[in-house]
Each structure stands twice: as C-alpha cells, then as structure tokens.
Amino acid sequence: MRSLIDITDLSLAELDSLIATAQDIIAHPEKYAEACHGKKLATLFYEPSTRTRLSFESAMLELGGSVIGFSDAGNSSAAKGESVADTVRTVECFADIVAMRHFKEGAPLVASTFAHIPVINAGDGGHNHPTQTLADLLTIQREKGRLDTLTIGCCGDLKFGRTVHSLISAMSRYENIRFVLISPEELRIPENVRSEILDRRHIPYEETTDLEGAMPKLDILYMTRVQRERFFNEADYLRLKDSYILTPEKLKTAKSDLIVMHPLPRVNEISTAVDSDPRACYFKQVLNGKYIRMALILMLLEVTV
Ligand code: NCD
C-alpha cells in the first residue's frame, strides 16, 4: 500500500508513467470511465481549497468512483479536538483512499503512518504540495515537450509557497535544469530547500529580487501568491503582497516560447491583461491537475485499465 506525501516518494520512472497515463486519459477518457467503480475517495480538507479539492473529486467521479469528505474541518470532529490519527482510522472504515490538506506541516505524513489505505498529501502548511507538482509536470511536458534543459524562474513567496518547494524538488531530478529564484529578501527560499535539494544535487541557481532582469533568460516563469495565512503579522503581508505584478509590459523582453505558470489562486501577482497572452498556462494547469490526479488514483489503488 502506497501513499504520496512527498514528490520524491515517486521515482522518475513512476513520474513518467503517471504523465503517460494522464495523456492516455486525455486521448481516451471513455476507457477509464468505470475504472474505479465501487471505490470511494475521502477528501479531508482542513484548509481552504477550490482547485485541489474539486480536482480530486472530479478525478474520482470521472473514474466512475464516488467521493465523501469534508471541506470545512470546523464541521468535523477536528473541532472537538480529534487527532488526525483518529480521524484517518475512522475514515478508512468508509473509503479506499484519502486526499488530505492540512495547515500543519507533516499532518498527512502522520495520517499515512496510521492509515491502512493510501493517503495523498493535498498540501501541508508551508511545506509541500506534491499533486500540484504533478499538474505542473504534465503542463510542462505538454507545453514545452520536455522536462529537461529548462531555466525555471520561481517568483513571489518562495519561503512559504509549498508549491514551489515541491516543484524545485521534482525538477531538480531532471537533466540540465537551472533555477532563477526571484523574491523579496524576506521571502527567500528556505534553507532546507537550498541545502537538501539545490546544493546537494549541484543544481545551478541564482537568487535575485529583480523579475525584469531575469525575464529574458527564462523558459518557464512560475508566479506565486504571497501566502497571507502563513504570516505572523498583517503589516509584513501588506508591505510584501504586491512585490511582483506581472504585466504585458514586463513580458515584452521574455522569450516567445516562455510559459507563464501559477498554481492559483491569483491575487494581484498576474494582471488579468496577461490572461489572453498565449504564453499564459495557468488555467491549463488546472485542467491538467484533474487528469494527473486520475492517473495517481489509479496508481495508488493499483487499478489497471
Ligand atoms: C496552492 C496551495 O494551496 O498551496 N493552491 C493550489 O493548491 N493550487 C497555492 C496557493 O494557495 O497560493
């Protein structure tokens, strides 16, 4: 029985296989329509979500399975003080697989050590978000035709942004990848990502505060929201929230085949005027997220089609 807690829980061969399955689902959705008939997914969301939860739910429904769960832990027994360990041992009596989002780093890992069914980390605090990374990998593969030989700019809140931590971890495993890490001083990439991923794997990277200076080098620009809910005080958030706002003007020096990504939700960091630029890929990421989560559910439930 497998869980997905960290993106490195999957080998490169397994990432390739998930991407291949997702592409087969896109080409032949009817083949998969009953693949999870009789199976249930539980979505346990202790933090707000639109895309991730609905994407998991649609993924399971499009595989012919069904869905239970909660989207507001305030209405669950968590509000009475129940532990994640007890909640997951309860939920496994009803479901075959769990997707859990939690405000505490490590909560899905704890759940997976108690559960006898697969647990998927759907985002844990400011730590990791492996299934967003799966959506990102499928998007990069579809849009760029490769996962190697890319200069990736990550811009915004690199400190608290869990999607960036998982993306760096995944992309560092491919050949000839370099990163340009663009953030305000206060929101630089955490030390553990720097030492345990970038330095350990000898990945070339630079850190800068200058988005416009970095723009011409980039093959991918991955924008992120300043993570208000992880700040200790509102004044710091207000000071930093509009550090980077991508506009059509700033894209003028970008490569013609750049792709602009964002895990969403967007607040101010990409002007809506960018949406009609063919390089904007953020809504494609949303759709790709559903297909790759379908592939992931099949893999973890060991369903063959
Ligand atoms: C991200 C998250 O929850 O970390 N959203 C998502 O799942 N697509 C990004 C964010 O909230 O900024």
Coordinates of all heavy atoms in Angstrom, one line a residue, residues 47-49 51-52 101 122-123 125 128-129 132 161-163 224-227 229-230 262-265 293, ligand 1:
E47 N -8.0 23.1 5.4 CA -7.6 24.4 4.9 C -8.4 24.7 3.7 O -8.8 23.8 3.0 CB -6.2 24.4 4.5 CG -5.2 25.0 5.5 CD -3.9 25.3 4.8 OE1 -3.6 24.8 3.7 OE2 -3.1 26.1 5.4
P48 N -8.6 26.0 3.4 CA -9.4 26.3 2.2 C -8.8 25.8 0.9 O -7.6 25.6 0.8 CB -9.4 27.9 2.1 CG -9.1 28.3 3.5 CD -8.2 27.2 4.1
S49 N -9.7 25.5 0.0 CA -9.3 25.0 -1.4 C -10.4 25.1 -2.3 O -11.6 24.9 -2.0 CB -8.9 23.5 -1.2 OG -8.7 22.9 -2.5
R51 N -9.5 24.5 -6.3 CA -9.0 23.7 -7.3 C -8.6 22.3 -6.8 O -9.0 21.3 -7.4 CB -7.7 24.2 -8.0 CG -7.9 25.1 -9.1 CD -6.8 26.2 -9.2 NE -6.9 27.0 -8.0 CZ -7.6 28.0 -7.9 NH1 -8.3 28.5 -8.9 NH2 -7.7 28.7 -6.7
T52 N -7.8 22.2 -5.8 CA -7.3 20.9 -5.4 C -8.4 19.9 -5.0 O -8.5 18.8 -5.5 CB -6.3 21.0 -4.3 OG1 -5.3 22.0 -4.7 CG2 -5.6 19.7 -4.0
R101 N -5.6 17.8 3.0 CA -4.9 19.1 3.1 C -5.0 19.5 4.6 O -6.0 19.4 5.2 CB -5.6 20.1 2.2 CG -5.1 21.5 2.5 CD -5.5 22.5 1.5 NE -4.8 22.3 0.2 CZ -4.9 23.1 -0.8 NH1 -5.6 24.2 -0.7 NH2 -4.3 22.8 -1.9
A122 N -2.4 16.7 0.0 CA -3.0 17.7 -0.9 C -2.6 19.1 -0.4 O -3.2 20.1 -0.7 CB -4.5 17.6 -0.9
G123 N -1.4 19.2 0.2 CA -0.9 20.4 0.7 C -0.8 20.4 2.2 O -1.8 20.3 2.9
G125 N 0.6 22.8 5.2 CA 1.2 24.0 5.7 C 2.1 24.7 4.6 O 1.7 24.7 3.4
N128 N 4.9 21.2 1.6 CA 4.9 20.6 0.2 C 3.5 20.5 -0.4 O 2.5 20.6 0.4 CB 5.4 19.1 0.4 CG 6.9 19.1 0.5 OD1 7.6 19.8 -0.3 ND2 7.4 18.2 1.3
H129 N 3.5 20.3 -1.7 CA 2.2 20.1 -2.4 C 2.4 19.3 -3.6 O 2.4 19.7 -4.7 CB 1.7 21.5 -2.8 CG 0.2 21.6 -3.2 ND1 -0.5 20.4 -3.5 CD2 -0.6 22.6 -3.4 CE1 -1.7 20.8 -3.9 NE2 -1.8 22.1 -3.8
Q132 N 0.1 19.3 -6.8 CA 0.2 20.4 -7.7 C 1.4 20.3 -8.6 O 1.4 20.6 -9.8 CB 0.4 21.7 -6.8 CG 0.5 23.0 -7.7 CD -0.7 23.3 -8.6 OE1 -1.8 23.2 -8.1 NE2 -0.5 23.6 -9.8
G161 N 5.7 29.3 0.1 CA 4.9 28.7 -1.0 C 5.3 27.3 -1.2 O 6.3 26.9 -1.8
R162 N 4.4 26.4 -0.8 CA 4.7 25.0 -0.8 C 4.7 24.4 -2.2 O 5.4 23.4 -2.4 CB 3.6 24.2 0.0 CG 2.2 24.5 -0.4 CD 1.2 24.0 0.6 NE -0.2 24.3 0.3 CZ -1.2 24.3 1.1 NH1 -1.0 23.9 2.4 NH2 -2.4 24.6 0.7
T163 N 4.0 25.0 -3.1 CA 4.1 24.5 -4.5 C 5.5 24.6 -5.1 O 5.9 23.7 -5.8 CB 3.1 25.3 -5.4 OG1 3.4 26.6 -5.4 CG2 1.6 25.1 -4.9
T224 N 3.9 33.0 -7.9 CA 3.1 32.6 -6.8 C 2.5 33.7 -6.0 O 3.0 34.9 -6.0 CB 4.1 31.8 -5.8 OG1 5.1 32.6 -5.3 CG2 4.7 30.6 -6.5
R225 N 1.5 33.4 -5.2 CA 0.8 34.3 -4.3 C 1.6 34.5 -3.0 O 2.2 33.5 -2.5 CB -0.5 33.7 -4.0 CG -1.4 34.3 -3.0 CD -2.7 33.5 -2.9 NE -2.5 32.2 -2.2 CZ -2.6 32.0 -0.9 NH1 -2.9 33.0 -0.1 NH2 -2.5 30.8 -0.4
V226 N 1.7 35.7 -2.5 CA 2.2 35.8 -1.1 C 1.2 35.2 -0.1 O 0.0 35.5 -0.1 CB 2.5 37.3 -0.8 CG1 3.0 37.5 0.6 CG2 3.5 37.9 -1.8
Q227 N 1.7 34.3 0.7 CA 0.9 33.4 1.5 C 0.4 34.0 2.8 O 1.0 33.8 3.8 CB 1.7 32.1 1.8 CG 2.2 31.4 0.5 CD 1.1 30.6 -0.2 OE1 0.6 29.6 0.4 NE2 0.8 30.9 -1.4
E229 N -1.8 33.7 4.9 CA -2.2 32.9 6.1 C -1.0 32.4 6.9 O -1.2 31.9 8.0 CB -3.1 31.8 5.7 CG -2.6 30.7 4.7 CD -2.6 31.1 3.2 OE1 -2.5 32.2 2.9 OE2 -2.8 30.1 2.4
R230 N 0.2 32.5 6.3 CA 1.4 32.0 7.0 C 2.2 33.1 7.6 O 3.2 32.8 8.2 CB 2.2 31.1 6.1 CG 1.5 30.2 5.2 CD 1.9 28.8 5.2 NE 1.1 28.0 4.2 CZ -0.1 27.4 4.5 NH1 -0.5 27.4 5.7 NH2 -0.7 26.8 3.5
H262 N 1.2 29.4 -12.8 CA 0.8 29.9 -11.4 C -0.1 28.8 -10.9 O -1.0 28.3 -11.6 CB 0.0 31.2 -11.6 CG -0.2 31.9 -10.3 ND1 -0.8 31.3 -9.2 CD2 0.0 33.2 -9.9 CE1 -0.9 32.2 -8.1 NE2 -0.4 33.3 -8.6
P263 N 0.1 28.3 -9.6 CA -0.8 27.3 -9.1 C -2.2 27.8 -8.9 O -3.1 26.9 -8.7 CB -0.1 26.9 -7.8 CG 0.7 28.1 -7.4 CD 1.1 28.8 -8.7
L264 N -2.4 29.1 -8.8 CA -3.6 29.7 -8.5 C -4.0 29.3 -7.0 O -3.6 28.3 -6.5 CB -4.7 29.3 -9.4 CG -4.5 29.7 -10.9 CD1 -5.6 29.2 -11.8 CD2 -4.2 31.2 -11.1
P265 N -4.8 30.1 -6.2 CA -5.4 31.3 -6.7 C -4.5 32.5 -6.8 O -3.5 32.6 -6.1 CB -6.4 31.6 -5.5 CG -5.7 31.0 -4.3 CD -5.0 29.8 -4.8
R293 N -4.3 13.7 -11.5 CA -4.8 13.1 -10.2 C -5.6 11.8 -10.6 O -5.6 10.9 -9.8 CB -5.7 14.1 -9.5 CG -4.9 15.2 -8.9 CD -5.7 16.2 -8.0 NE -4.8 17.1 -7.4 CZ -4.5 18.4 -7.8 NH1 -5.1 18.8 -8.9 NH2 -3.7 19.1 -7.2
Ligands
NCD1 C1 -1.8 26.5 -3.9 C2 -1.7 25.9 -2.5 O1 -2.8 25.6 -1.9 O2 -0.6 25.8 -2.0 N1 -3.0 26.4 -4.5 C3 -3.3 25.2 -5.1 O3 -3.5 24.2 -4.5 N2 -3.4 25.2 -6.4 C4 -1.2 27.8 -4.0 C5 -1.7 28.9 -3.1 O4 -2.6 28.7 -2.3 O5 -1.1 30.0 -3.2

